[in-house]
Amino acid sequence: MEKSGESSGPRLPVGPRELKQERAVRTRERILAAAATAFAAKGFPAVTILDVAETAGMTKGAVYFHYENKEALALAVTERFYLRLEEIADTVEPLGLPPLGSVAELLLRTATAFRDETLVQAGARLQLERHLIGVRLPLPYEAYTGLITSWLTKEHEADTRGGLPPPSTLATVLVSAFFGAQHISWVLNDRADLVKRTTDLVRTIIPSASEDMKSCPSAPRGEHG
């Protein structure tokens, strides 16, 4: 129902400036997706702007119009990689899992993203190659480790089972082990077994998490017990 005083006229058409901005955003997204594909497949040193342009289906000039050089593309893809990790974490929070269950679920969802998502694969590879990239990249996995530390702190404060190391130490070990495992899984099996490796990793480092993992939606079927 129309309220009194509200205009009933047609919506104004989008102006040329807004359309141009929308096209620019879409173009940048195409370029970043193409860059992620190239970086994931070939690594930073071997990728050229021409590779990115051809993958995106545009000219080198169009790529250079939006990104100054290959380093700028690497930085943009890495920043998107960390935003993606934040998005994955945001899907875990509303589940209301116990702290150790949240940690396990985050790692399992991240493992699935590593297996399936080119952007995530590219971001991780660029971090490994950061010494070859002439631009400062975000510090590796800082916020990710911080979130896991916060969940482990809750578990530590309510720990009735005992035996857990300090939260920051345990978080550092978990993150280091996970990202090492994803690299080995990539080299050996193209990450096909990463979810299984992650399940085994969590249960080995935190044996008391096995019970909480039964409530994890991403835990492999047959791996709950």
Side-chain angles (χ1 to χ4, degrees), residues 16 21 25 43 81 118 121 129 155 169-170 177 191 221:
Q21 290 173 343
V25 169
F81 164 59
T118 302
Q121 296 162 6
E129 298 170 342
E155 177 68 20
T169 301
L170 184 52
R191 298 188 177 95
R221 297 294 177 259

Side-chain angles (χ1 to χ4, degrees), residues 39-108:
F39 288 138
K42 300 173 66 173
F44 179 82
V47 169
T48 66
I49 292 294
L50 180 59
D51 292 330
V52 175
E54 289 179 344
T55 302
M58 58 183 65
T59 66
K60 286 173 60 177
V63 175
Y64 278 121
F65 180 81
H66 292 279
Y67 293 95
E68 182 179 2
N69 50 37
K70 188 170 68 167
E71 285 76 12
L73 279 170
L75 176 59
V77 169
T78 304
E79 289 174 342
R80 286 296 183 89
F81 164 59
Y82 283 111
L83 285 175
R84 181 67 186 121
L85 293 185
E86 290 179 13
E87 291 171 357
I88 293 169
D90 288 343
T91 68
V92 175
E93 293 273 14
L95 298 176
L97 297 170
L100 293 185
S102 293
V103 171
E105 183 66 17
L106 174 61
L107 291 172
L108 288 166

Side-chain angles (χ1 to χ4, degrees), residues 203-219:
R203 285 182 170 163
T204 301
I205 295 177
I206 317 178
S208 57
S210 293
E211 186 65 27
D212 290 347
M213 288 181 73
K214 294 178 181 178
S215 58
C216 289
S218 299

Side-chain angles (χ1 to χ4, degrees), residues 164-187:
L164 288 178
S168 60
T169 301
L170 184 52
T172 299
V173 169
L174 276 171
V175 172
S176 299
F178 172 76
F179 286 100
Q182 75 81 20
H183 180 74
I184 293 171
S185 178
W186 167 44
V187 172

